[in-house]
């Protein structure tokens, strides 16, 4: 059974039939984003029956922690809920690790409250910034909006090694890793889900796939970037067309040398072949087909210097 409650048999019905011949062996080591983990694990569930002698191990240490392992050569593939940063590229260069960054799916970072909260109808970036910025003066809901209750806000969010934390702080607060620190941080997103579900005054944020899995226990808050345009709830359609203010790309980054190993190459090609369908099966949004074809072409080309190119 997968983390999202889908059996391998059920998943088999939604994937393209593999075009690979069996017979390889070896290991593929993956770590990084807990958001991308959901997609990668579902791909691996499909891959394992096809290549029974290839062992695929997957961690969810967070995007930043994953890139640390990647740049030191500990893993073959890193999942990322944000693009790799310039300083991380420099660390990879110093270790002579060349990389290929490949967009594989789309996500809409989702701001959630407890279902018992009926007064928060929407939030703007300005309000979110006031709540989450360093040294925030916001302690109660009333501090955000005078018409809201004078009740303390209980904040839940990813810990600092996660790409979701980097993305949210950069886009909403204005600077990556710039955040108040008096909140309940967790490296396991399921811990955040449970925290918000169990606290009537909670506010949290994480990837859309986690919300989809637990939406009976949570309420997503419509978001407006400027507070003037209509606030939008995340959905596959508004994430795909980019109108949802917290839409983002999800990536896998492949060690170029590791990709020369047949077992790693086989897994990455299988991943790209099935990324569109698997992302939807675990609650995320498929990358538009043209964009996914670009990822396939970029990986196939293995161009010298391709690891330096922006994924955008």
């Amino acid at each position: 059974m997968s983390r999202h409650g889908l059996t391998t048999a059920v998943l088999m019905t939604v994937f393209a039939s593999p075009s690979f011949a069996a017979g390889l062996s070896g290991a593929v080591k993956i770590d990084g984003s807990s958001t991308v983990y959901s997609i990668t694990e579902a791909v691996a569930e499909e891959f394992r029956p096809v290549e029974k002698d290839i062992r695929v191990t997957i961690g969810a240490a967070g995007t930043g922690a994953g890139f640390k392992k990647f740049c030191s050569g500990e893993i073959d593939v890193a999942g990322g809920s944000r693009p790799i940063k310039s300083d991380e590229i420099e660390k990879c260069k110093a270790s002579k690790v060349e990389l290929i960054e490949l967009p594989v799916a789309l996500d809409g970072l989702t701001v959630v409250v407890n279902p018992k909260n009926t007064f928060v109808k929407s939030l703007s970036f300005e309000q979110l910034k006031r709540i989450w910025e360093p040294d925030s003066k916001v302690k109660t809901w009333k501090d955000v909006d005078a018409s809201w209750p004078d009740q303390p806000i209980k904040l839940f969010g990813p810990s600092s090694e996660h790409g979701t934390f980097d993305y949210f702080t950069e886009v909403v607060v204005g600077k990556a890793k710039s955040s108040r620190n008096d909140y309940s941080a967790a490296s396991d997103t399921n811990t955040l889900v449970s925290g918000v579900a169990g606290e009537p005054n909670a506010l949290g944020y994480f990837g859309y796939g986690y919300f989809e899995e637990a939406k009976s226990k949570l309420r997503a808050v419509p978001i407006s970037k400027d507070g003037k345009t209509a606030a939008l709830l995340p959905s596959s359609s508004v994430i795909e067309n980019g109108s949802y203010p917290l839409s983002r790309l999800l990536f896998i980054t492949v060690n170029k040398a590791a990709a020369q190993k047949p077992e790693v190459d086989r897994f990455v090609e299988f991943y790209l072949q099935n990324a569109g369908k698997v992302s939807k099966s675990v609650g995320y949004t498929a990358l538009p087909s043209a964009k996914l074809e670009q990822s396939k072409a970029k990986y196939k080309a293995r161009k010298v210097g391709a690891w330096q190119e922006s994924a955008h």
Side-chain angles (χ1 to χ4, degrees):
M1 184 73 70
S2 76
R3 190 186 67 80
H4 286 265
L6 297 172
T7 65
T8 299
V10 171
L11 284 167
M12 287 284 281
T13 66
V14 297
F15 287 86
S17 298
S19 58
F20 308 119
L24 294 176
S25 62
V28 183
K29 297 179 182 179
I30 307 165
D31 208 334
S33 165
S34 60
T35 301
V36 181
Y37 171 88
S38 304
I39 301 171
T40 304
E41 177 57 31
V43 171
E45 282 194 28
E46 272 306 297
F47 183 74
R48 288 173 182 127
V50 175
E51 291 288 357
K52 296 181 176 64
D53 294 325
I54 296 179
R55 185 165 58 90
V56 181
T57 59
I58 308 167
T63 299
F67 280 135
K68 285 180 183 177
K69 292 181 179 182
F70 182 87
C71 291
S72 65
E74 295 177 48
I75 58 176
D76 305 306
V77 180
S81 58
R82 59 162 172 80
I84 190 168
K85 296 178 179 179
S86 58
D87 63 320
E88 291 165 334
I89 290 176
E90 290 305 313
K91 289 176 183 176
C92 282
K93 281 184 180 180
S95 301
K96 301 188 184 305
V97 173
E98 298 186 16
L99 61 92
I100 311 166
E101 185 178 62
L102 305 168
V104 292
L106 292 166
D107 179 34
L109 193 149
T110 305
V111 178
V112 297
V113 294
N114 187 282
K116 292 181 180 178
N117 181 326
T118 59
F119 54 86
V120 177
K121 305 300 183 185
S122 66
L123 285 166
S124 67
F125 273 28
E126 186 274 332
Q127 288 172 315
L128 287 169
K129 179 180 180 180
R130 285 200 288 116
I131 293 169
W132 285 96
E133 65 188 350
D135 303 315
S136 172
K137 305 302 182 186
V138 173
K139 305 296 182 185
T140 70
W141 290 109
K142 192 176 183 68
D143 293 334
V144 182
D145 187 307
S147 68
W148 293 351
D150 189 15
Q151 295 290 329
I153 302 177
K154 304 292 185 180
L155 296 173
F156 294 84
S159 48
S160 60
E161 70 269 18
H162 283 266
T164 297
F165 174 84
D166 291 343
Y167 174 83
F168 182 84
T169 51
E170 182 172 358
V171 172
V172 174
V173 179
K175 182 181 179 182
K177 296 190 180 297
S178 180
S179 174
R180 66 190 298 167
N181 55 23
D182 58 336
Y183 72 97
S184 295
S187 58
D188 180 1
T189 305
N190 290 308
T191 301
L192 301 180
V193 170
S194 297
V196 177
E199 170 53 60
N201 282 303
L203 175 74
Y205 66 91
F206 38 76
Y208 180 64
Y210 283 91
F211 167 72
E212 275 288 284
E213 186 182 46
K215 60 185 176 183
S216 64
K217 301 183 289 186
L218 305 169
R219 182 169 71 83
V221 178
I223 302 299
S224 171
K225 188 170 185 177
D226 57 14
K228 298 175 183 177
T229 54
L232 294 175
L233 282 169
S235 69
S236 292
S237 59
V238 296
I239 291 169
E240 183 174 356
N241 68 27
S243 59
Y244 180 64
L246 293 171
S247 298
R248 59 178 177 167
L249 283 168
L250 301 177
F251 306 86
I252 57 169
T253 299
V254 183
N255 182 312
K256 197 172 180 182
Q260 302 305 311
K261 297 188 291 185
E263 63 272 23
V264 175
D265 179 47
R266 178 69 54 85
F267 180 76
V268 174
E269 288 198 1
F270 188 92
Y271 199 124
L272 295 174
Q273 177 184 342
N274 292 291
K277 293 174 181 178
V278 71
S279 59
K280 291 189 289 187
S281 77
V282 293
Y284 291 93
T285 300
L287 199 66
S289 57
K291 295 278 189 183
L292 189 55
E293 288 303 317
Q294 289 175 6
S295 288
K296 292 177 182 178
K298 184 177 180 181
Y299 180 70
K300 185 176 181 180
R302 313 283 214 290
K303 294 178 181 177
V304 174
W307 60 283
Q308 294 176 320
E309 297 172 6
S310 168
H312 307 288

